[in-house]
Amino acid sequence: MADDDLAQIRAARLQQLKEQGGESNDGSEEDQKRKQESEARSTILNQILEPAAADRLGRIRMVKESRATDVENRLIMLARSGQLRAKVTE
């Protein structure tokens, strides 16, 4: 009987670990989605910004990250709507 009880405990613990592992997979999927969005943003910004403008945006990010994110969002929105005709300079 002790072996049967031990087997049941092991099975229950294995199931519990599998469930916890499933939750961490959901988190990794979210991380992967955020990473893909970040890469897409970087790609778009590389296409629409001159190198000097990208450097400037990086310096702004060091001082105030929220301001840099707002500028990036605005630039991406303008690029997607077709309002940017050339690369953005400083």
Side-chain angles (χ1 to χ4, degrees):
M1 283 260 191
D3 290 335
D4 291 335
D5 291 338
L6 185 58
Q8 288 177 348
I9 292 171
R10 284 182 179 163
R13 181 67 178 148
L14 182 61
Q15 181 64 30
Q16 187 181 34
L17 289 173
K18 285 181 181 179
E19 289 174 2
Q20 289 176 352
E23 291 173 3
S24 68
N25 286 341
D26 292 340
S28 67
E29 288 176 7
E30 290 175 8
D31 291 340
Q32 187 177 18
K33 185 177 179 181
R34 275 191 230 118
K35 185 178 178 182
Q36 287 176 342
E37 290 174 1
S38 176
E39 288 175 1
R41 287 175 61 90
S42 296
T43 301
I44 292 171
L45 290 171
N46 285 337
Q47 291 174 355
I48 63 174
L49 292 176
E50 291 284 336
D55 289 341
R56 174 106 183 223
L57 191 56
R59 288 192 302 272
I60 292 170
R61 180 172 305 285
M62 286 192 297
V63 176
K64 192 165 188 177
E65 188 168 346
S66 62
R67 174 72 67 162
T69 303
D70 291 342
V71 170
E72 286 177 355
N73 290 338
R74 180 72 175 151
L75 289 170
I76 291 170
M77 186 176 66
L78 289 171
R80 287 184 177 161
S81 67
Q83 295 180 359
L84 293 178
R85 303 283 182 227
K87 284 192 168 191
V88 177
T89 61
E90 281 191 56

